[in-house]
């Protein structure tokens, strides 16, 4: 197998940068680019302990003082002999160290190849491998905690418990069929049905976490809608902390959707600033308004912004009606509170689940209340020991497993013989195996690791 090398830190100036090696020649290649200050041979370095020395370019000239560490086969991230060089984080220095490693016989690692080797060597299953990239991409504390829980095997353990229970059902059945002379207790149809029901409940419980997991990982798609000049773009800028959208007194300034991400109350939100909803306008503005309506229908949450310093207009009422008709959670934000609020008539039917908040994008008043309201609608907290399914691949496999288990249950209840029903059980096992990598196809595994950065 090749020995691979890559820069494992971002391509920017930093205090420390890391070059990683993995493969059977890691110690040899490390010796070609790094010299311990003690004069000892690199191959004699004590594994898993930092050693101080100098790092060299391909011509042997000193580049930097550095620390290096060697990992034995079976005791590294990838499961192979591996090494790391920690030097100052100059992109120039790191690039020269990497070129020296190539000259000594390493090759450039592909995106995600270190983690892919960890999977292939049995150090991680697929749920743990996906947790690695989720942890790297985490934008909230909740997302990071869920990812590290999965990296520790929480999701794998729950899936394997169901998988093993199904293996017990199928193996006992086939043992009775294949070895009729052996004293093997045959399971009754009632026992099989009970086992399948327990497995289906466990899978359904996991699948039910996907809605929260998707929000935790990808954020709440949040459309900011309202009349022109209501303060939508000012709100977006206030929430993200910089002037992302152009703000003027001219109605119709925002003509297309503008997207940005922010964290409100610990919840990641994907903010979409939309064109002001009104009648008329030129062709370009009308197209923007149509996109505003489409964004509202596609959003998870609607923030309806109305100018609170003046009475509500027909255009405000139209935006409120759009939010009400969408069936999505929404908040009414009365903006420009710093200019003084006016009395606002009742806007909603009695008992409607909606809040009205007074805010000011200029003074930031009310934004804490907005964050609290979003956190209440989309909580980011997790119970102790809880793990959430966070991607569509996992959810799809769980859906197929659940469908197969329910089909098997229905078949047994309907009088189908157990051998026919167990075909569906095996289909469920196949889907669950895809989750952890037991039965995953090579092309599917490759697609998962394409999401990774080089060096991880």
């Amino acid at each position: 197998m090749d020995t691979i090398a890559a820069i494992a830190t971002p391509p920017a100036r930093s205090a420390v940068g890391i070059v990683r090696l993995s493969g059977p020649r890691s110690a040899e290649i490390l010796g070609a680019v790094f010299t311990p200050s003690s004069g000892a041979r690199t191959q004699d370095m004590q594994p898993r302990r930092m050693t101080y020395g100098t790092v060299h370019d391909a011509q042997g000239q000193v580049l930097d003082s550095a620390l290096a560490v060697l990992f034995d086969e079976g005791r590294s991230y990838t499961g192979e002999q591996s090494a790391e060089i920690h030097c100052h984080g100059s992109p120039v220095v790191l690039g020269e160290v990497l070129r020296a490693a190539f000259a000594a016989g390493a090759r450039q690692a592909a995106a995600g190849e270190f983690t892919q080797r960890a999977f292939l060597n049995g150090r991680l299953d697929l749920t743990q491998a996906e947790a690695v990239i989720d942890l790297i991409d985490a934008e909230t504390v909740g997302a990071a905690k869920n990812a590290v829980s999965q990296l520790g095997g929480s999701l794998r353990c729950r899936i394997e418990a169901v998988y093993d229970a199904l293996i017990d059902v199928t193996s006992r059945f086939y043992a009775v069929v294949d070895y009729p002379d052996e004293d093997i207790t045959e399971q009754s149809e009632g026992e099989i049905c009970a086992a399948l029901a327990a497995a289906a409940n466990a899978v359904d419980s996991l699948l039910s976490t996907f809605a929260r997991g998707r929000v935790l990982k990808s954020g709440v798609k949040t459309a900011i809608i309202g009349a022109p000049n209501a303060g939508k773009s000012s709100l977006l800028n206030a929430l993200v902390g910089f002037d992302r959208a152009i703000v003027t007194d001219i109605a119709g300034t925002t003509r297309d959707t503008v997207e940005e991400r922010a964290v409100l109350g610990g919840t990641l939100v994907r903010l979409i600033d939309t064109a002001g909803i009104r009648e008329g306008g030129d062709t370009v503005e009308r197209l923007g308004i149509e996109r505003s309506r489409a964004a509202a229908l596609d959003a998870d949450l609607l923030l309806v912004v109305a100018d609170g310093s003046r009475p509500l207009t027909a255009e405000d009422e139209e935006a409120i009606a759009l939010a009400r008709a969408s069936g999505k959670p929404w908040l009414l934000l009365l903006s420009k509170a710093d200019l003084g609020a006016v009395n606002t008539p009742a806007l909603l039917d009695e008992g409607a689940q909606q809040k009205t908040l007074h805010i000011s994008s200029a003074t930031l008043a009310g934004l804490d209340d907005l964050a609290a309201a979003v956190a209440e609608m989309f909580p980011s907290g997790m119970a102790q020991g809880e793990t959430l399914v966070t991607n569509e691949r996992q959810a799809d496999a769980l859906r197929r497993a659940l469908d197969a288990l329910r089909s098997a249950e229905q078949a047994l209840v309907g009088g189908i013989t157990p051998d026919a029903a167990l075909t569906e059980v095996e289909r469920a096992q196949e889907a669950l195996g895809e989750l952890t990598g037991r039965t995953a196809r090579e092309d599917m595994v490759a697609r998962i690791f394409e999401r990774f950065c080089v060096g991880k």
Side-chain angles (χ1 to χ4, degrees):
M1 179 177 285
D2 293 341
T3 297
I4 57 175
I7 299 171
T9 43
R13 290 185 300 169
S14 60
V16 177
I18 300 173
V19 174
R20 306 181 76 185
L21 299 163
S22 184
R25 297 183 58 201
S26 292
E28 175 190 342
I29 294 169
L30 180 63
V33 301
F34 176 79
T35 301
S37 60
S38 65
R41 296 190 315 157
T42 306
Q43 291 89 332
D44 296 330
M45 287 169 49
Q46 188 171 349
R48 301 169 68 86
R49 180 165 294 183
M50 285 289 190
T51 299
Y52 178 72
T54 54
V55 65
H56 315 279
D57 64 15
Q59 288 73 44
Q61 295 181 333
V62 174
L63 283 169
D64 195 3
S65 299
L67 293 168
V69 59
L70 191 63
F71 299 92
D72 286 339
E73 182 179 352
R75 302 191 67 195
S76 71
Y77 177 74
T78 62
E80 305 168 339
Q81 185 183 78
S82 301
E84 291 181 359
I85 299 168
H86 297 233
C87 55
H88 291 98
S90 162
V92 172
V93 171
L94 292 169
E96 287 300 306
V97 173
L98 188 61
R99 278 186 281 276
F102 294 158
R107 69 162 174 83
Q108 174 67 58
E113 190 169 1
F114 288 94
T115 304
Q116 186 172 19
R117 289 189 176 199
F119 165 68
L120 294 174
N121 291 326
R123 301 288 290 180
L124 302 171
D125 77 328
L126 278 188
T127 64
Q128 291 171 301
E130 289 175 310
V132 171
I133 192 64
D134 284 353
L135 189 56
I136 291 171
D137 291 341
E139 296 183 62
T140 64
V141 173
K145 287 182 176 179
N146 188 64
V148 80
S149 174
Q150 290 193 11
L151 185 56
S154 59
L155 183 56
R156 181 202 67 215
C157 289
R158 293 184 63 177
I159 294 166
E160 288 191 342
V162 178
Y163 188 93
D164 290 344
L166 297 181
I167 286 288
D168 186 57
V169 170
T170 55
S171 62
R172 286 181 63 182
F173 174 81
Y174 288 124
V176 170
V177 172
D178 294 340
Y179 303 100
D181 297 333
E182 299 293 330
D183 186 20
I184 302 173
T185 303
E186 184 176 356
Q187 284 182 303
S188 68
E189 289 188 13
E191 289 175 322
I192 295 175
C193 278
L196 296 184
N201 288 339
V203 172
D204 189 38
S205 177
L206 265 180
L207 185 57
S208 69
T209 69
F210 178 52
R212 284 180 57 208
R214 179 179 61 83
V215 165
L216 190 69
K217 177 183 175 182
S218 303
V220 181
K221 188 180 292 185
T222 304
I224 305 174
I225 65 173
N229 281 349
K232 302 182 298 299
S233 296
S234 295
L235 174 62
L236 175 74
N237 292 341
L239 292 177
V240 302
F242 63 96
D243 290 340
R244 174 64 177 86
I246 297 172
V247 177
T248 75
D249 293 331
I250 303 171
T253 298
T254 302
R255 294 182 166 227
D256 201 352
T257 55
V258 177
E259 300 190 23
E260 195 55 67
R261 302 161 87 89
V263 177
L264 293 180
T267 299
L268 178 66
V269 292
R270 294 154 55 198
L271 298 166
I272 307 168
D273 182 23
T274 64
I277 296 175
R278 66 171 178 172
E279 296 297 329
D282 59 26
T283 302
V284 175
E285 186 179 354
R286 286 197 299 272
L287 288 173
I289 293 170
E290 287 306 309
R291 290 192 178 187
S292 299
R293 296 180 186 279
L297 295 176
D298 189 47
D300 302 312
L301 170 67
L302 299 178
L303 301 181
V304 181
V305 181
D307 185 344
S309 67
R310 58 169 172 72
L312 294 177
T313 66
E315 291 164 343
D316 294 326
E317 297 282 4
E318 184 179 357
I320 292 168
L322 176 61
R324 184 189 292 122
S326 72
K328 307 292 180 65
W330 64 285
L331 296 168
L332 176 61
L333 307 181
L334 298 177
S335 65
K336 307 181 184 180
D338 53 302
L339 301 181
V342 300
N343 292 326
T344 304
L347 300 173
L348 299 173
D349 297 333
E350 185 176 352
Q353 298 299 309
Q354 176 267 342
K355 287 185 177 180
T356 300
L357 302 174
H358 291 268
I359 65 169
S360 168
S361 299
T363 67
L364 307 185
L367 296 192
D368 286 344
D369 294 334
L370 172 58
V374 172
E376 183 180 348
M377 290 177 168
F378 299 92
S380 60
M382 295 168 55
Q384 184 70 28
E386 184 180 24
T387 187
L388 306 180
V389 174
T390 56
N391 69 56
E392 184 57 46
R393 182 194 79 85
Q394 295 171 354
D396 176 66
L398 288 170
R399 289 189 199 101
R400 287 185 282 115
L402 184 60
D403 289 344
L405 289 170
R406 286 176 172 165
S407 295
E409 284 186 83
Q410 292 169 1
L412 286 173
V413 171
I416 301 296
T417 57
D419 59 322
L422 288 180
T423 300
E424 292 296 319
V425 177
E426 290 171 341
R427 191 162 67 89
Q429 289 175 233
E430 180 79 13
L432 293 174
E434 286 182 19
L435 273 167
T436 59
R438 285 177 184 253
T439 59
R441 301 187 316 273
E442 185 176 343
D443 60 334
M444 183 180 74
V445 172
R447 182 62 59 86
I448 289 171
F449 289 104
E450 284 175 358
R451 298 170 50 212
F452 282 63
C453 53
V454 174
K456 191 56 180 174

